[in-house]
Amino acid sequence: MPKRIREERNRGFYDEKAERMGCVERAVFKGQEALKILTYAYENAPGYKKFLQERDIHPGAVKDIGDFSKLPVLKKNRMPSLHQGNPPFGGFLAVPVENLKRIYVSPGPIYDPEGRKEDYWGLRKCLYNVGFRPGDIVMNTFSYHLTPAGIFLDEACNGIGCVTVPTGVGNTEIQAKTMAGLRINGYIGVPSFLLSLIKKMEELGYNTTEELAMEIALVAGEILSPSLRKGLNDYGIIVRQAYITADLGGVAYECPQENGMHISDDLYIEICDPVTGEPLPAGSIGEVVVTDFSNECYPLVRYGTGDLSAIDEGECSCGRTSGKLRGIMGRADEVTKIKGMFVHPRQIDEVAARFPEEVEKMRVLVTREGVTDIMTVEVQLKKGREGTDLLKTSIEEKIRESTKLRGNAVFVAEIPEGSKKIEDTRKWQ
Ligand SMILES: [Zn+2]
């Protein structure tokens, strides 16, 4: 099959009407659907009803979407104990168990039910909109047992007319040979494994210019660094990310602009304070809280994913009008609130990575003077490097860019082995 030109993969929408919907219209639609699923969940999922009753909340108190944040956030990390307290789904299943098609088992253990509805996980639009097209021969390297990733992406491939090669995890050499032998042109999996497969092909003596047919990759489940994306792009491969979870399916996907992931049209998403559950001002970093209004088997309302992100609103030049998640920035339980802003350890690592020649290690100390938080950034330099004023200033600038906070950089002889990235010594009286 001739190589598809990049433009062909970048053109077109899975569901143009929905994806180009006016922003106001979409907000109204999502608000209405979120309220409907709340009532539905309360009436049909006894576990959810109990969850609200224990907190003395009745859906009647939520008159419009402005009241939605009165509902408690149902934290994903509480699900294993809720499930175990009332097996198998903690009463959160809204249909008889025999209506299910599959039940997946994720670490926790946490059980994820799958209903029989077509495209149950909403992943077809993810695949199509990142650039997969009918007829692509796709190797799916996600696991096909226990957890859902392998099977649900396999079904989505079938749903849009791709040919799937279900290779699953591991067996690098067999997979590399298969990739060449079948002239596979689509990849689904973690990004680092795709690079390992290509390296393995080279090691086995294949000529990647002629025998590597790979054109498009959907990657998830691992951070895609700019250098890894570039490394794969250099082999002529389009690499796009999606945010997919075992309980919600396709949450968001990258478009050809590759600068954020468009939020799926069947989810109502808020970015919230991980502690209080209050929605944060537009553009802030916080926990991704999802209400899935397309799922009548397992209706999740204000479900706290534990993942951190921020939403960019506004037009995207691809033509889609939905907001974009700015990537997954870490886990919500790892953040520290400093001067009202959430800071994640990964942001500290990112700043350190901006100074590969000079900086060995970096950590943040948070203290308090009166009512003011003080952020001190300790910097351990590489051997033989000197802590100049110029370096101090540029580190402080990068800290401000990344965290939106002013920090004081100090050079120290050594940051103790095993110390936390953010050391919070504030005392709360
Ligand atoms: Zn876009």
Side-chain angles (χ1 to χ4, degrees), residues 95-401:
V95 296
V97 72
E98 56 267 31
N99 287 19
L100 298 178
K101 181 178 180 183
R102 297 191 183 94
I103 298 169
Y104 300 104
V105 184
S106 295
I110 183 164
Y111 302 120
D112 293 306
E114 177 182 297
R116 295 182 191 274
K117 186 177 80 170
E118 214 178 294
D119 196 21
Y120 180 85
W121 300 102
L123 284 164
R124 292 181 189 175
K125 58 179 170 287
C126 255
L127 275 184
Y128 190 90
N129 285 335
V130 300
F132 285 76
R133 291 295 176 267
D136 284 338
I137 301 175
V138 181
M139 69 196 292
N140 181 6
T141 68
F142 279 127
S143 170
Y144 271 73
H145 61 260
L146 291 172
T147 54
I151 289 181
F152 67 27
L153 281 155
D154 187 296
E155 294 226 326
C157 282
N158 180 48
I160 67 164
C162 297
V163 181
T164 314
V165 184
T167 53
V169 176
N171 303 306
T172 312
E173 186 165 328
I174 296 171
Q175 297 222 31
K177 288 177 177 167
T178 308
M179 193 156 81
L182 291 175
R183 293 291 188 269
I184 285 175
N185 64 347
Y187 172 89
I188 293 174
V190 295
S192 59
F193 188 54
L194 177 54
L195 194 61
S196 306
L197 289 175
I198 296 170
K199 296 290 174 208
K200 179 57 85 176
M201 270 180 79
E202 287 170 340
E203 199 185 304
L204 293 170
Y206 288 100
N207 173 352
T208 51
T209 320
E210 284 164 19
E211 293 170 289
L212 176 68
M214 194 60 74
E215 295 166 43
I216 176 87
L218 171 76
V219 299
E222 183 183 271
I223 292 190
L224 175 65
S225 65
S227 62
L228 180 52
R229 170 143 40 195
K230 168 87 174 43
L232 292 166
N233 289 158
D234 288 346
Y235 286 98
I237 306 168
I238 301 172
V239 181
R240 298 207 174 121
Q241 312 178 76
Y243 174 31
I244 299 170
T245 73
D247 29 33
L248 300 159
V251 178
Y253 55 82
E254 270 186 336
C255 67
Q257 299 303 313
E258 297 178 2
N259 62 353
M261 296 183 280
H262 283 285
I263 294 170
S264 187
D265 286 314
D266 36 30
L267 305 173
Y268 176 74
I269 292 192
E270 302 160 275
I271 299 294
C272 298
D273 182 315
V275 180
T276 65
E278 279 292 315
L280 294 169
S284 310
I285 295 176
E287 181 175 12
V288 180
V289 173
V290 180
T291 298
D292 182 355
F293 53 75
S294 69
N295 191 332
E296 292 187 348
C297 288
Y298 193 59
L300 296 170
V301 179
R302 294 204 90 217
Y303 186 59
T305 58
D307 294 321
L308 287 180
S309 190
I311 297 180
D312 286 329
E313 295 288 356
E315 299 265 303
C316 179
S317 40
C318 75
R320 291 179 185 85
T321 49
S322 60
K324 286 193 282 194
L325 286 178
R326 222 183 281 160
I328 300 308
M329 299 163 174
R331 297 287 307 161
D333 48 16
E334 294 170 347
V335 291
T336 306
K337 202 173 193 176
I338 308 171
K339 297 184 203 176
M341 302 288 283
F342 291 106
V343 180
H344 189 272
R346 193 176 295 154
Q347 289 171 285
I348 313 305
D349 288 338
E350 278 165 11
V351 174
R354 304 290 286 272
F355 302 91
E357 304 291 316
E358 295 91 359
V359 173
E360 179 69 39
K361 256 195 207 174
M362 214 182 245
R363 71 166 174 173
V364 161
L365 302 180
V366 196
T367 51
R368 205 164 165 84
E369 275 176 23
V371 292
T372 312
D373 293 336
I374 308 290
M375 181 164 85
T376 307
V377 183
E378 286 192 341
V379 182
Q380 180 186 331
L381 294 172
K382 293 219 186 254
K383 282 214 167 53
R385 288 285 166 176
E386 208 181 316
T388 61
D389 285 349
L390 185 66
L391 182 58
K392 174 179 157 71
T393 313
S394 38
I395 290 173
E396 288 173 351
E397 259 170 37
K398 296 295 173 219
I399 287 279
R400 193 158 58 239
E401 262 174 40

Side-chain angles (χ1 to χ4, degrees), residues 64-105:
D64 58 48
I65 199 68
D67 292 334
F68 210 60
S69 61
K70 288 181 183 168
L71 297 166
V73 171
L74 173 60
K75 293 273 189 184
K76 181 178 190 149
N77 59 16
R78 289 205 52 214
M79 289 314 263
S81 64
L82 287 168
H83 279 184
Q84 282 147 33
N86 178 16
F89 297 104
F92 286 85
L93 195 68
V95 296
V97 72
E98 56 267 31
N99 287 19
L100 298 178
K101 181 178 180 183
R102 297 191 183 94
I103 298 169
Y104 300 104
V105 184

